[in-house]
Amino acid sequence: MVNWKCDSPARVAAIGECMIEHREVGTDLKSVPGSARRFSGDTLNTLTYMARLLDRGTAEPFYITALGMDPDSAAMLAAWEEEGINTAFVRRFRDKLPGSYTISTAQDGERQFSYDRDKSAARELFRDDYAESLSNSLKDLDLLYLSGITVAILPPHDREKLLNLLRTLRRAGVIIVYDPNYRAVLWASPAEARDWSGRVYLETDVAMPGFADEKALFDNAAPEQSCKRLADLGITEVIMKNGSSPCLVAAGQDIVRFPVTFQDGVADTTAAGDSFNAGYISSRLCGHDIAASIRAGQTLAGMVIQHHGAIIPRDDTPPLYRIIG
Ligand code: ADP
């Protein structure tokens, strides 16, 4: 059983990378009004939604990453603080910049992503002995959230430091929540991604994969099979998302299905999984059971996919108590 009981406010942290998003329209880069400089990253998306769902008395959210000393990095920090995210664990490097990516839309409407993140600041997060200092300063966290992207961007010897950090924090009672979020382009091979995801799963209390990623990595034919494989690893709470198909939960012996309410007018499924995770985790932190928390995840994801982009306007994000009803 995962012990979700936390002192208020719960100290929750996400660790990962946020990037600068550019949009290419024709040949004119950054020409869409209001979209000149947007910031996005899977772990940050989840943390942002958690910060919005939970009031300050309920949770204190921290983002752990590395940035440069440039104006984009300063703007990112300001934007996170504006969302109520604590940036005390954001490292700054003089010799580094944030990663970025460009979305171009082909004539047939298909979106293409090109990334420039090979030398990003976040890849160097564990430079020197920062992982060790985090293991000391984060012991009183309640929950640490990470994704496969967090793991993938680190050089292999720093991935070992991340695993050690997870082990130390877990021993100190921190709940480790992991979404493998597989991005083939970030890994040398599928085998490398499979190996590292497998190792992180062994340090995980709550697994929140999308079935598409599990299928791509572990070739399980059905979501039930994936759920069972993860439960057999000893993960006590397995939550499997599967687009518009039912979410599956393995907590104990049984696998339970939670159908997704039909969603009219899906505009863009970017961050569906990230926002689902935020709804689920926030609800669990507030003491709600698995069924209510799955509904919270599905409800928030259902709102997010009716908008374009990963982060919907703040005024359109209800607090958790209104989602739970
Ligand atoms: P991931 O990005 O982690 O693979 P999914 O794509 O499975 O996540 O989606 C996460 C959640 O978002 C689903 O469980 C569901 O609640 C919601 N969702 C995603 N796509 C749809 C859709 N087409 N219609 C309704 N809900 C959806």
Side-chain angles (χ1 to χ4, degrees):
M1 283 274 287
V2 177
N3 180 11
W4 287 92
K5 221 169 162 359
C6 307
D7 292 335
S8 260
R11 288 165 55 87
V12 297
I15 181 164
E17 177 175 32
C18 178
M19 290 187 294
I20 304 163
E21 176 187 296
H22 300 302
R23 275 166 196 264
E24 195 172 28
V25 179
T27 53
D28 185 9
L29 202 62
K30 299 185 181 178
S31 68
V32 181
S35 72
R37 194 170 56 176
R38 293 212 311 212
F39 308 127
S40 187
D42 65 335
T43 46
L44 183 80
N45 297 340
T46 300
L47 194 71
T48 301
Y49 283 118
M50 286 179 64
R52 291 181 181 184
L53 292 176
L54 300 170
D55 63 48
R56 300 281 162 86
T58 312
E60 183 170 20
F62 296 85
Y63 197 47
I64 306 168
T65 192
L67 294 172
M69 304 292 275
D70 55 300
D72 281 330
S73 294
M76 275 191 192
L77 271 183
W80 303 342
E81 280 163 9
E82 175 104 346
E83 291 282 357
I85 292 171
N86 188 316
T87 58
F89 296 109
V90 177
R91 292 191 89 178
R92 311 285 300 272
F93 295 125
R94 265 184 203 291
D95 58 340
K96 289 283 163 190
L97 294 171
S100 67
Y101 63 99
T102 302
I103 307 175
S104 38
T105 309
Q107 297 223 313
D108 61 2
E110 193 64 29
R111 292 189 313 160
Q112 288 172 332
F113 293 77
S114 54
Y115 292 93
D116 180 7
R117 72 192 319 185
D118 288 356
K119 299 197 175 95
S120 74
R123 288 190 176 246
E124 306 255 343
L125 175 65
F126 289 149
R127 194 193 272 182
D128 311 322
D129 55 1
Y130 194 61
E132 254 170 65
S133 93
L134 282 180
S135 34
N136 291 323
S137 37
L138 296 179
K139 278 194 178 126
D140 63 346
L141 273 185
D142 290 294
L143 181 145
L144 180 69
Y145 177 83
L146 76 159
S147 80
I149 296 176
T150 313
V151 188
I153 60 165
L154 296 173
H157 60 280
D158 284 356
R159 292 179 194 152
E160 297 283 357
K161 295 182 189 171
L162 175 66
L163 278 183
N164 283 334
L165 175 66
L166 299 181
R167 274 185 213 115
T168 308
L169 295 183
R170 205 166 174 222
R171 269 201 302 271
V174 180
I175 302 170
I176 308 293
V177 185
Y178 177 57
D179 179 344
N181 242 345
Y182 176 48
R183 299 287 181 274
V185 68
L186 294 177
W187 296 97
S189 66
E192 186 192 41
R194 191 160 43 244
D195 176 45
W196 279 101
S197 235
R199 295 176 72 180
V200 176
Y201 270 139
L202 293 178
E203 308 305 331
T204 294
D205 298 294
V206 182
M208 304 197 72
F211 176 59
D213 293 343
E214 278 295 297
K215 191 169 162 52
L217 277 181
F218 296 97
D219 201 26
N220 290 138
E224 286 78 3
Q225 213 181 338
S226 285
C227 259
K228 181 160 178 355
R229 189 184 66 79
L230 294 173
D232 287 347
L233 290 178
I235 302 173
T236 36
E237 214 165 292
V238 179
I239 313 297
M240 185 149 317
K241 301 155 280 176
N242 194 9
S244 56
S245 300
C247 297
L248 297 191
V249 175
Q253 290 303 306
D254 299 328
I255 294 181
V256 185
R257 294 159 66 86
F258 293 88
V260 172
T261 322
F262 177 71
Q263 204 61 59
D264 221 1
V266 175
D268 175 7
T269 56
T270 304
D274 304 338
S275 54
F276 174 96
N277 293 353
Y280 182 83
I281 297 167
S282 302
S283 169
R284 292 296 271 152
L285 285 171
C286 287
H288 299 291
D289 65 13
I290 289 177
S293 303
I294 293 277
R295 277 198 304 278
Q298 291 174 341
T299 304
L300 181 63
M303 292 173 181
V304 169
I305 63 179
Q306 289 177 53
H307 290 75
H308 285 278
I311 305 285
I312 66 176
R314 205 175 329 171
D315 290 347
D316 292 345
T317 316
L320 184 71
Y321 70 85
R322 278 217 268 124
I323 288 183
I324 293 277

